[in-house]
Amino acid sequence: MTSSVLPLRRLFSVVNGGTPTSEPENWGGEVPWATPADFSGRLTEVTTTRRTLTPSGARSGSVIVPRGSLLVSTRAPIGYVAVTGTEMAFNQGCRALVPRAGADVRFFGYQLEARLPDLQAEGLGATFLELSSEKLSSFVVVAPPLDEQRRIADFLDSETARIDRLIHLYGQLSVLAAERAQRVLDEAVDKCTDRAPLRYIVRFREGPGIMAVDFQSDGVPLIRIAGLIKGQVTLNGCNFLNPDKVARQWPQFRLRLGDRLISGSATMGGVSVVRDPAVVGSVPYTGLIILRPAQEDVDMEYVEAFLQSSQFLRQIDLLKTGATMQHFGPTHLSQVRAPLPRLDEQRGIAATARDALRHASLCEELTKRQIALLGERRRALITAAVTGQFDITTASGRNVTEGVAV
């Protein structure tokens, strides 16, 4: 393959986007208006967008490029690429590459996708990184003859579609494993028909109302939501408090080994456990709720299972409050009713839930690993094809995903 090495401006016209003013007459029309939020990390064709413009809105504050143009996100994130499947406007977070004669947009879209790190390295800016029109125009690409571009693009359309199907199937496998774990957990919890108010099983204590003025560079760790990681309470993102003030005002909030924390924020879920001795003695921030057994014959692992069950989630969804962001606290938890089996049954439910969730977590880990490997294979395949490292006319395509465990 005889190829030239050219800057993009020799092959495309670079067009900047924009955003119209907020007047109603500019929005909600038939003109798709792309932003970086409409892109994925892989080359795709975009025909619909989250927001649309009227023709007057597009004329006054944006620009429309023809079907078959390339859109490149140039901020947050830099370097995602899409082909316009229809005439389309776009905002200032993107730039369009409108092809001149001799350019197959799919070929160059694949090439830019494979060279994402190179595009991101061209970003400049003090507040946020942005890929300028000049940098994008000057970006150098490999440009074989047009018929060769088309053959390579056709080959990559077929082979990347196969890889993308595998990636989708692995994602579905992870979802199915999580759904199975939830079903097993729910069935275990629902077997017990005896109910009691949750406050009879668990004591709740929300973290104290600590102000930013109390923060200091060292002292007693103040646990934040960012410290609840994969079911563990950690010191990640913590602030610090004066030890004397904690001893005077907040000693009852200091965490012990085995304490459970749950966030009252609607965006957070699950229970985190204090297992790290470094966390012992720390204090949870407002919005984090300490859970401790209310009586001796309570297995806290069973409580964890209940708090992850659909039975609990349905009840708390009805009790949560808040207009813009719903949340719950000890008052809401005290109104929840929970199954109260014998201690040996609690332990059996906890073991069943633990095994199911462990299996789902293992499946998620394995599928993420396979998806990452397939993504790497996809990028390697594209790079090899667009740079002429193998002859696609003799490539059967049957071995594209060989070497990737599936």
Side-chain angles (χ1 to χ4, degrees), residues 11-69:
L11 300 157
F12 297 88
S13 299
V14 179
V15 181
N16 296 329
T19 300
T21 57
S22 59
E23 280 78 5
E25 58 267 24
N26 289 333
W27 297 91
E30 65 273 21
V31 181
W33 182 69
T35 73
D38 295 302
F39 291 51
S40 71
R42 300 189 296 271
L43 180 68
T44 53
E45 183 180 81
V46 175
T47 55
T48 59
T49 56
R50 301 185 185 192
R51 301 188 68 186
T52 60
L53 302 178
T54 60
S56 61
R59 287 193 301 271
S60 67
S62 189
V63 63
I64 297 176
V65 293
R67 180 178 182 271
S69 301

Tab-separated table of all heavy atoms in Angstrom, residues 11-69:
chain	number	residue	atom	x	y	z
A	11	LEU	N	-7.168	17.100	3.801
A	11	LEU	CA	-8.209	16.133	3.464
A	11	LEU	C	-9.609	16.572	3.886
A	11	LEU	O	-10.604	16.097	3.333
A	11	LEU	CB	-7.897	14.795	4.136
A	11	LEU	CG	-6.565	14.154	3.741
A	11	LEU	CD1	-6.104	13.185	4.815
A	11	LEU	CD2	-6.707	13.440	2.405
A	12	PHE	N	-9.675	17.465	4.877
A	12	PHE	CA	-10.956	17.882	5.447
A	12	PHE	C	-10.971	19.380	5.681
A	12	PHE	O	-9.930	19.991	5.931
A	12	PHE	CB	-11.190	17.193	6.804
A	12	PHE	CG	-11.300	15.705	6.751
A	12	PHE	CD1	-10.163	14.904	6.851
A	12	PHE	CD2	-12.533	15.084	6.623
A	12	PHE	CE1	-10.248	13.524	6.821
A	12	PHE	CE2	-12.629	13.695	6.595
A	12	PHE	CZ	-11.485	12.919	6.694
A	13	SER	N	-12.159	19.949	5.652
A	13	SER	CA	-12.380	21.300	6.166
A	13	SER	C	-12.735	21.180	7.641
A	13	SER	O	-13.604	20.375	8.011
A	13	SER	CB	-13.523	21.992	5.419
A	13	SER	OG	-13.233	22.117	4.056
A	14	VAL	N	-12.071	21.941	8.486
A	14	VAL	CA	-12.331	21.889	9.925
A	14	VAL	C	-13.335	22.981	10.273
A	14	VAL	O	-13.120	24.158	9.972
A	14	VAL	CB	-11.029	22.069	10.733
A	14	VAL	CG1	-11.329	22.037	12.231
A	14	VAL	CG2	-10.021	20.992	10.363
A	15	VAL	N	-14.451	22.578	10.899
A	15	VAL	CA	-15.556	23.498	11.192
A	15	VAL	C	-15.795	23.516	12.694
A	15	VAL	O	-15.871	22.463	13.336
A	15	VAL	CB	-16.845	23.062	10.463
A	15	VAL	CG1	-17.981	24.045	10.746
A	15	VAL	CG2	-16.596	22.940	8.964
A	16	ASN	N	-15.927	24.715	13.267
A	16	ASN	CA	-16.204	24.878	14.703
A	16	ASN	C	-17.704	24.932	14.954
A	16	ASN	O	-18.474	25.447	14.131
A	16	ASN	CB	-15.559	26.159	15.234
A	16	ASN	CG	-14.051	26.120	15.144
A	16	ASN	OD1	-13.448	25.053	15.242
A	16	ASN	ND2	-13.429	27.267	14.943
A	17	GLY	N	-18.121	24.414	16.104
A	17	GLY	CA	-19.529	24.431	16.474
A	17	GLY	C	-19.856	25.553	17.443
A	17	GLY	O	-19.023	26.413	17.754
A	18	GLY	N	-21.081	25.551	17.942
A	18	GLY	CA	-21.495	26.583	18.880
A	18	GLY	C	-22.823	26.250	19.522
A	18	GLY	O	-23.486	25.265	19.173
A	19	THR	N	-23.221	27.100	20.483
A	19	THR	CA	-24.464	26.920	21.231
A	19	THR	C	-25.320	28.168	21.097
A	19	THR	O	-24.853	29.276	21.411
A	19	THR	CB	-24.165	26.672	22.717
A	19	THR	OG1	-23.361	25.503	22.851
A	19	THR	CG2	-25.452	26.491	23.512
A	20	PRO	N	-26.561	28.033	20.632
A	20	PRO	CA	-27.444	29.201	20.544
A	20	PRO	C	-27.820	29.726	21.922
A	20	PRO	O	-27.590	29.065	22.944
A	20	PRO	CB	-28.679	28.655	19.815
A	20	PRO	CG	-28.286	27.324	19.280
A	20	PRO	CD	-27.185	26.813	20.155
A	21	THR	N	-28.405	30.890	21.941
A	21	THR	CA	-28.921	31.437	23.197
A	21	THR	C	-30.106	30.602	23.669
A	21	THR	O	-30.635	29.765	22.932
A	21	THR	CB	-29.338	32.897	23.018
A	21	THR	OG1	-30.309	32.972	21.965
A	21	THR	CG2	-28.124	33.758	22.662
A	22	SER	N	-30.534	30.826	24.893
A	22	SER	CA	-31.529	29.952	25.534
A	22	SER	C	-32.976	30.256	25.144
A	22	SER	O	-33.885	29.609	25.661
A	22	SER	CB	-31.395	30.056	27.051
A	22	SER	OG	-31.581	31.398	27.473
A	23	GLU	N	-33.220	31.198	24.246
A	23	GLU	CA	-34.599	31.512	23.853
A	23	GLU	C	-35.306	30.262	23.330
A	23	GLU	O	-34.734	29.475	22.577
A	23	GLU	CB	-34.625	32.588	22.762
A	23	GLU	CG	-34.453	34.004	23.280
A	23	GLU	CD	-33.013	34.342	23.602
A	23	GLU	OE1	-32.141	33.498	23.331
A	23	GLU	OE2	-32.764	35.448	24.123
A	24	PRO	N	-36.551	30.056	23.721
A	24	PRO	CA	-37.281	28.847	23.328
A	24	PRO	C	-37.334	28.608	21.830
A	24	PRO	O	-37.367	27.445	21.388
A	24	PRO	CB	-38.686	29.078	23.903
A	24	PRO	CG	-38.483	30.043	25.022
A	24	PRO	CD	-37.349	30.919	24.618
A	25	GLU	N	-37.342	29.680	21.048
A	25	GLU	CA	-37.457	29.496	19.598
A	25	GLU	C	-36.212	28.854	18.974
A	25	GLU	O	-36.224	28.447	17.808
A	25	GLU	CB	-37.734	30.831	18.896
A	25	GLU	CG	-36.709	31.908	19.119
A	25	GLU	CD	-37.046	32.828	20.294
A	25	GLU	OE1	-37.797	32.383	21.196
A	25	GLU	OE2	-36.556	33.977	20.306
A	26	ASN	N	-35.127	28.731	19.752
A	26	ASN	CA	-33.903	28.116	19.233
A	26	ASN	C	-33.840	26.612	19.461
A	26	ASN	O	-32.989	25.930	18.865
A	26	ASN	CB	-32.672	28.754	19.885
A	26	ASN	CG	-32.428	30.170	19.417
A	26	ASN	OD1	-32.800	30.535	18.307
A	26	ASN	ND2	-31.794	30.973	20.263
A	27	TRP	N	-34.735	26.096	20.317
A	27	TRP	CA	-34.553	24.719	20.798
A	27	TRP	C	-35.770	23.843	20.512
A	27	TRP	O	-36.886	24.315	20.366
A	27	TRP	CB	-34.283	24.726	22.309
A	27	TRP	CG	-33.016	25.456	22.633
A	27	TRP	CD1	-32.877	26.779	22.932
A	27	TRP	CD2	-31.700	24.906	22.631
A	27	TRP	NE1	-31.555	27.091	23.132
A	27	TRP	CE2	-30.805	25.962	22.954
A	27	TRP	CE3	-31.189	23.638	22.406
A	27	TRP	CZ2	-29.433	25.770	23.050
A	27	TRP	CZ3	-29.823	23.436	22.502
A	27	TRP	CH2	-28.957	24.504	22.823
A	28	GLY	N	-35.496	22.523	20.442
A	28	GLY	CA	-36.577	21.554	20.299
A	28	GLY	C	-37.067	21.361	18.882
A	28	GLY	O	-38.155	20.802	18.687
A	29	GLY	N	-36.285	21.752	17.900
A	29	GLY	CA	-36.682	21.577	16.509
A	29	GLY	C	-36.226	20.253	15.934
A	29	GLY	O	-35.937	19.295	16.656
A	30	GLU	N	-36.116	20.209	14.603
A	30	GLU	CA	-35.792	18.956	13.919
A	30	GLU	C	-34.312	18.792	13.606
A	30	GLU	O	-33.903	17.787	13.004
A	30	GLU	CB	-36.599	18.851	12.618
A	30	GLU	CG	-36.263	19.888	11.561
A	30	GLU	CD	-37.044	21.199	11.697
A	30	GLU	OE1	-37.546	21.484	12.801
A	30	GLU	OE2	-37.138	21.918	10.687
A	31	VAL	N	-33.471	19.758	14.018
A	31	VAL	CA	-32.047	19.691	13.698
A	31	VAL	C	-31.293	19.025	14.854
A	31	VAL	O	-31.249	19.572	15.963
A	31	VAL	CB	-31.461	21.096	13.444
A	31	VAL	CG1	-29.974	20.991	13.090
A	31	VAL	CG2	-32.227	21.815	12.345
A	32	PRO	N	-30.695	17.839	14.652
A	32	PRO	CA	-29.893	17.231	15.723
A	32	PRO	C	-28.731	18.146	16.097
A	32	PRO	O	-28.113	18.766	15.230
A	32	PRO	CB	-29.395	15.918	15.103
A	32	PRO	CG	-30.275	15.665	13.933
A	32	PRO	CD	-30.697	17.012	13.427
A	33	TRP	N	-28.425	18.198	17.398
A	33	TRP	CA	-27.355	19.074	17.904
A	33	TRP	C	-26.453	18.232	18.797
A	33	TRP	O	-26.836	17.860	19.903
A	33	TRP	CB	-27.970	20.239	18.675
A	33	TRP	CG	-27.000	21.241	19.211
A	33	TRP	CD1	-26.241	22.123	18.510
A	33	TRP	CD2	-26.721	21.491	20.602
A	33	TRP	NE1	-25.499	22.918	19.367
A	33	TRP	CE2	-25.772	22.549	20.654
A	33	TRP	CE3	-27.172	20.940	21.796
A	33	TRP	CZ2	-25.278	23.044	21.854
A	33	TRP	CZ3	-26.681	21.437	22.988
A	33	TRP	CH2	-25.740	22.477	23.015
A	34	ALA	N	-25.288	17.874	18.298
A	34	ALA	CA	-24.399	16.944	19.004
A	34	ALA	C	-23.529	17.658	20.018
A	34	ALA	O	-23.093	18.797	19.790
A	34	ALA	CB	-23.519	16.199	17.994
A	35	THR	N	-23.283	16.992	21.115
A	35	THR	CA	-22.315	17.421	22.126
A	35	THR	C	-21.450	16.202	22.461
A	35	THR	O	-21.793	15.076	22.087
A	35	THR	CB	-23.018	17.924	23.402
A	35	THR	OG1	-23.548	16.794	24.111
A	35	THR	CG2	-24.146	18.894	23.084
A	36	PRO	N	-20.345	16.376	23.202
A	36	PRO	CA	-19.537	15.201	23.568
A	36	PRO	C	-20.320	14.115	24.298
A	36	PRO	O	-19.941	12.944	24.251
A	36	PRO	CB	-18.439	15.806	24.449
A	36	PRO	CG	-18.256	17.190	23.892
A	36	PRO	CD	-19.647	17.637	23.531
A	37	ALA	N	-21.420	14.477	24.945
A	37	ALA	CA	-22.235	13.478	25.649
A	37	ALA	C	-22.894	12.492	24.690
A	37	ALA	O	-23.327	11.416	25.109
A	37	ALA	CB	-23.304	14.174	26.492
A	38	ASP	N	-22.972	12.828	23.400
A	38	ASP	CA	-23.595	11.946	22.409
A	38	ASP	C	-22.602	10.957	21.801
A	38	ASP	O	-22.976	10.144	20.969
A	38	ASP	CB	-24.226	12.776	21.286
A	38	ASP	CG	-25.379	13.625	21.770
A	38	ASP	OD1	-26.336	13.055	22.320
A	38	ASP	OD2	-25.309	14.866	21.639
A	39	PHE	N	-21.336	11.027	22.207
A	39	PHE	CA	-20.299	10.178	21.641
A	39	PHE	C	-20.061	8.974	22.542
A	39	PHE	O	-20.290	9.023	23.747
A	39	PHE	CB	-18.972	10.934	21.528
A	39	PHE	CG	-18.967	12.046	20.498
A	39	PHE	CD1	-19.937	13.015	20.469
A	39	PHE	CD2	-17.956	12.112	19.565
A	39	PHE	CE1	-19.932	14.032	19.546
A	39	PHE	CE2	-17.921	13.132	18.628
A	39	PHE	CZ	-18.916	14.091	18.612
A	40	SER	N	-19.547	7.909	21.952
A	40	SER	CA	-19.031	6.790	22.733
A	40	SER	C	-17.526	6.742	22.506
A	40	SER	O	-16.981	7.546	21.755
A	40	SER	CB	-19.689	5.472	22.304
A	40	SER	OG	-19.220	5.089	21.025
A	41	GLY	N	-16.857	5.802	23.133
A	41	GLY	CA	-15.411	5.700	22.964
A	41	GLY	C	-15.000	5.023	21.673
A	41	GLY	O	-13.810	4.908	21.387
A	42	ARG	N	-15.995	4.568	20.874
A	42	ARG	CA	-15.688	3.898	19.623
A	42	ARG	C	-16.336	4.643	18.475
A	42	ARG	O	-17.346	5.340	18.650
A	42	ARG	CB	-16.209	2.444	19.656
A	42	ARG	CG	-15.616	1.606	20.756
A	42	ARG	CD	-15.995	0.145	20.615
A	42	ARG	NE	-17.419	-0.081	20.764
A	42	ARG	CZ	-18.028	-0.311	21.917
A	42	ARG	NH1	-17.325	-0.306	23.041
A	42	ARG	NH2	-19.318	-0.530	21.978
A	43	LEU	N	-15.760	4.486	17.274
A	43	LEU	CA	-16.330	5.121	16.095
A	43	LEU	C	-17.743	4.606	15.866
A	43	LEU	O	-17.967	3.406	15.749
A	43	LEU	CB	-15.467	4.831	14.865
A	43	LEU	CG	-15.971	5.443	13.544
A	43	LEU	CD1	-15.853	6.962	13.592
A	43	LEU	CD2	-15.208	4.879	12.356
A	44	THR	N	-18.706	5.519	15.822
A	44	THR	CA	-20.103	5.155	15.585
A	44	THR	C	-20.719	6.177	14.645
A	44	THR	O	-20.186	7.277	14.450
A	44	THR	CB	-20.910	5.151	16.897
A	44	THR	OG1	-20.736	6.411	17.569
A	44	THR	CG2	-20.470	4.034	17.818
A	45	GLU	N	-21.859	5.802	14.069
A	45	GLU	CA	-22.644	6.763	13.286
A	45	GLU	C	-23.699	7.353	14.190
A	45	GLU	O	-24.418	6.631	14.888
A	45	GLU	CB	-23.300	6.067	12.095
A	45	GLU	CG	-24.064	7.036	11.209
A	45	GLU	CD	-24.706	6.347	10.018
A	45	GLU	OE1	-25.799	5.762	10.208
A	45	GLU	OE2	-24.120	6.391	8.922
A	46	VAL	N	-23.798	8.674	14.211
A	46	VAL	CA	-24.770	9.372	15.055
A	46	VAL	C	-25.842	9.982	14.167
A	46	VAL	O	-25.529	10.739	13.241
A	46	VAL	CB	-24.086	10.475	15.892
A	46	VAL	CG1	-25.121	11.268	16.679
A	46	VAL	CG2	-23.069	9.868	16.841
A	47	THR	N	-27.095	9.630	14.438
A	47	THR	CA	-28.208	10.222	13.694
A	47	THR	C	-29.156	10.992	14.605
A	47	THR	O	-29.820	11.918	14.158
A	47	THR	CB	-29.015	9.131	12.954
A	47	THR	OG1	-29.437	8.145	13.904
A	47	THR	CG2	-28.161	8.470	11.881
A	48	THR	N	-29.218	10.599	15.880
A	48	THR	CA	-30.061	11.304	16.845
A	48	THR	C	-29.197	11.795	17.996
A	48	THR	O	-28.170	11.189	18.318
A	48	THR	CB	-31.172	10.397	17.397
A	48	THR	OG1	-30.583	9.259	18.029
A	48	THR	CG2	-32.083	9.922	16.272
A	49	THR	N	-29.614	12.878	18.612
A	49	THR	CA	-28.861	13.491	19.705
A	49	THR	C	-29.792	13.786	20.866
A	49	THR	O	-31.024	13.785	20.717
A	49	THR	CB	-28.193	14.792	19.234
A	49	THR	OG1	-29.191	15.670	18.691
A	49	THR	CG2	-27.132	14.514	18.171
A	50	ARG	N	-29.212	14.052	22.020
A	50	ARG	CA	-30.018	14.294	23.218
A	50	ARG	C	-30.837	15.577	23.116
A	50	ARG	O	-31.935	15.658	23.644
A	50	ARG	CB	-29.109	14.348	24.454
A	50	ARG	CG	-28.326	13.057	24.660
A	50	ARG	CD	-27.533	13.067	25.950
A	50	ARG	NE	-26.703	11.869	26.058
A	50	ARG	CZ	-26.086	11.483	27.158
A	50	ARG	NH1	-26.183	12.211	28.257
A	50	ARG	NH2	-25.361	10.381	27.179
A	51	ARG	N	-30.279	16.562	22.452
A	51	ARG	CA	-30.997	17.827	22.286
A	51	ARG	C	-31.036	18.195	20.807
A	51	ARG	O	-30.185	17.758	20.023
A	51	ARG	CB	-30.334	18.944	23.096
A	51	ARG	CG	-30.267	18.659	24.588
A	51	ARG	CD	-29.775	19.862	25.359
A	51	ARG	NE	-30.731	20.955	25.332
A	51	ARG	CZ	-30.508	22.174	25.829
A	51	ARG	NH1	-29.340	22.453	26.391
A	51	ARG	NH2	-31.423	23.114	25.773
A	52	THR	N	-31.998	18.994	20.434
A	52	THR	CA	-32.154	19.414	19.046
A	52	THR	C	-32.350	20.923	18.964
A	52	THR	O	-32.728	21.577	19.958
A	52	THR	CB	-33.343	18.713	18.379
A	52	THR	OG1	-34.541	19.050	19.102
A	52	THR	CG2	-33.165	17.201	18.380
A	53	LEU	N	-32.127	21.453	17.767
A	53	LEU	CA	-32.299	22.882	17.506
A	53	LEU	C	-33.364	23.097	16.430
A	53	LEU	O	-33.630	22.200	15.620
A	53	LEU	CB	-30.993	23.501	17.015
A	53	LEU	CG	-29.759	23.399	17.917
A	53	LEU	CD1	-28.560	24.035	17.205
A	53	LEU	CD2	-29.999	24.056	19.256
A	54	THR	N	-33.909	24.269	16.434
A	54	THR	CA	-34.707	24.704	15.289
A	54	THR	C	-33.753	25.193	14.204
A	54	THR	O	-32.579	25.497	14.488
A	54	THR	CB	-35.643	25.841	15.690
A	54	THR	OG1	-34.860	26.949	16.156
A	54	THR	CG2	-36.600	25.406	16.809
A	55	PRO	N	-34.205	25.277	12.961
A	55	PRO	CA	-33.327	25.819	11.916
A	55	PRO	C	-32.798	27.218	12.252
A	55	PRO	O	-31.621	27.512	12.018
A	55	PRO	CB	-34.224	25.837	10.678
A	55	PRO	CG	-35.188	24.702	10.911
A	55	PRO	CD	-35.455	24.743	12.391
A	56	SER	N	-33.652	28.062	12.849
A	56	SER	CA	-33.182	29.407	13.207
A	56	SER	C	-32.162	29.347	14.333
A	56	SER	O	-31.190	30.117	14.361
A	56	SER	CB	-34.370	30.290	13.616
A	56	SER	OG	-35.031	29.750	14.756
A	57	GLY	N	-32.341	28.417	15.285
A	57	GLY	CA	-31.362	28.255	16.353
A	57	GLY	C	-30.022	27.803	15.819
A	57	GLY	O	-28.963	28.273	16.249
A	58	ALA	N	-30.052	26.876	14.840
A	58	ALA	CA	-28.802	26.407	14.240
A	58	ALA	C	-28.111	27.535	13.479
A	58	ALA	O	-26.884	27.676	13.537
A	58	ALA	CB	-29.093	25.231	13.310
A	59	ARG	N	-28.901	28.344	12.773
A	59	ARG	CA	-28.292	29.447	12.010
A	59	ARG	C	-27.712	30.508	12.928
A	59	ARG	O	-26.647	31.069	12.649
A	59	ARG	CB	-29.336	30.082	11.081
A	59	ARG	CG	-29.710	29.248	9.876
A	59	ARG	CD	-30.491	30.075	8.873
A	59	ARG	NE	-31.718	30.618	9.440
A	59	ARG	CZ	-32.895	29.987	9.424
A	59	ARG	NH1	-32.985	28.785	8.862
A	59	ARG	NH2	-33.969	30.545	9.947
A	60	SER	N	-28.379	30.777	14.052
A	60	SER	CA	-27.960	31.897	14.901
A	60	SER	C	-26.810	31.559	15.837
A	60	SER	O	-26.012	32.438	16.183
A	60	SER	CB	-29.148	32.407	15.721
A	60	SER	OG	-29.556	31.415	16.660
A	61	GLY	N	-26.713	30.280	16.262
A	61	GLY	CA	-25.711	29.989	17.286
A	61	GLY	C	-24.866	28.771	17.055
A	61	GLY	O	-23.990	28.460	17.867
A	62	SER	N	-25.111	28.042	15.960
A	62	SER	CA	-24.324	26.848	15.697
A	62	SER	C	-24.020	26.789	14.208
A	62	SER	O	-23.998	27.819	13.536
A	62	SER	CB	-25.091	25.593	16.166
A	62	SER	OG	-24.273	24.443	16.124
A	63	VAL	N	-23.795	25.605	13.695
A	63	VAL	CA	-23.513	25.416	12.280
A	63	VAL	C	-23.938	23.998	11.920
A	63	VAL	O	-23.868	23.096	12.759
A	63	VAL	CB	-22.020	25.652	11.960
A	63	VAL	CG1	-21.149	24.632	12.681
A	63	VAL	CG2	-21.744	25.622	10.465
A	64	ILE	N	-24.425	23.807	10.703
A	64	ILE	CA	-24.865	22.486	10.257
A	64	ILE	C	-23.857	21.945	9.248
A	64	ILE	O	-23.463	22.647	8.310
A	64	ILE	CB	-26.265	22.555	9.621
A	64	ILE	CG1	-27.300	23.002	10.662
A	64	ILE	CG2	-26.663	21.197	9.046
A	64	ILE	CD1	-28.701	23.187	10.096
A	65	VAL	N	-23.431	20.700	9.459
A	65	VAL	CA	-22.526	20.044	8.515
A	65	VAL	C	-23.275	18.901	7.840
A	65	VAL	O	-24.260	18.389	8.373
A	65	VAL	CB	-21.250	19.518	9.196
A	65	VAL	CG1	-20.398	20.672	9.683
A	65	VAL	CG2	-21.587	18.566	10.335
A	66	PRO	N	-22.845	18.485	6.661
A	66	PRO	CA	-23.598	17.464	5.916
A	66	PRO	C	-23.438	16.067	6.496
A	66	PRO	O	-22.528	15.793	7.283
A	66	PRO	CB	-22.993	17.548	4.516
A	66	PRO	CG	-21.637	18.115	4.709
A	66	PRO	CD	-21.737	19.046	5.885
A	67	ARG	N	-24.347	15.194	6.096
A	67	ARG	CA	-24.235	13.769	6.394
A	67	ARG	C	-22.895	13.262	5.871
A	67	ARG	O	-22.434	13.662	4.817
A	67	ARG	CB	-25.382	13.019	5.730
A	67	ARG	CG	-25.391	11.527	5.961
A	67	ARG	CD	-26.622	10.911	5.282
A	67	ARG	NE	-26.689	9.478	5.517
A	67	ARG	CZ	-26.134	8.548	4.749
A	67	ARG	NH1	-25.450	8.925	3.671
A	67	ARG	NH2	-26.248	7.280	5.047
A	68	GLY	N	-22.269	12.364	6.628
A	68	GLY	CA	-20.988	11.830	6.188
A	68	GLY	C	-19.798	12.681	6.593
A	68	GLY	O	-18.704	12.501	6.050
A	69	SER	N	-19.994	13.573	7.553
A	69	SER	CA	-18.871	14.319	8.136
A	69	SER	C	-18.372	13.576	9.369
A	69	SER	O	-19.072	12.722	9.916
A	69	SER	CB	-19.308	15.731	8.529
A	69	SER	OG	-19.799	16.455	7.419
